[in-house]
Amino acid sequence: MRWPTVFAEFVLVPVLVVAAVWCWRNGIATTVFKPQGEAPAFSATRYVGPWLAGSAVFAIGAGLFFIDMLARAFRRR
């Protein structure tokens, strides 16, 4: 009965990694400002905390499921 669980975790880990990358990309917003008068052009980067926290949670979950998947797959019973 452990192999269905291993397969489910094998499918779940990449899904969680994709979710973590998606959250990370949404958590960083860069805005480019054009020069106005004597002020030079510049870009500002804004970090959005909830998106970055969600990314961390998904990454930690993917890591834990990956470790559990390996432990279940290579168990000797």
Side-chain angles (χ1 to χ4, degrees):
M1 185 66 178
R2 73 177 173 177
W3 290 109
T5 305
V6 170
F7 179 73
E9 290 176 341
F10 183 75
V11 171
L12 183 63
V13 168
V15 171
L16 290 175
V17 169
V18 167
V21 170
W22 179 70
C23 284
W24 184 264
R25 291 179 57 89
N26 283 320
I28 299 174
T30 303
T31 305
V32 178
F33 294 95
K34 296 178 183 178
Q36 291 184 349
E38 293 185 22
F42 71 96
S43 63
T45 303
R46 184 173 63 104
Y47 299 98
V48 184
W51 282 109
L52 297 179
S55 176
V57 168
F58 284 132
I60 290 169
L64 290 174
F65 278 117
F66 181 72
I67 291 169
D68 187 56
M69 178 187 66
L70 290 178
R72 287 178 190 266
F74 294 110
R75 189 178 302 153
R76 295 208 176 228
R77 274 191 327 153

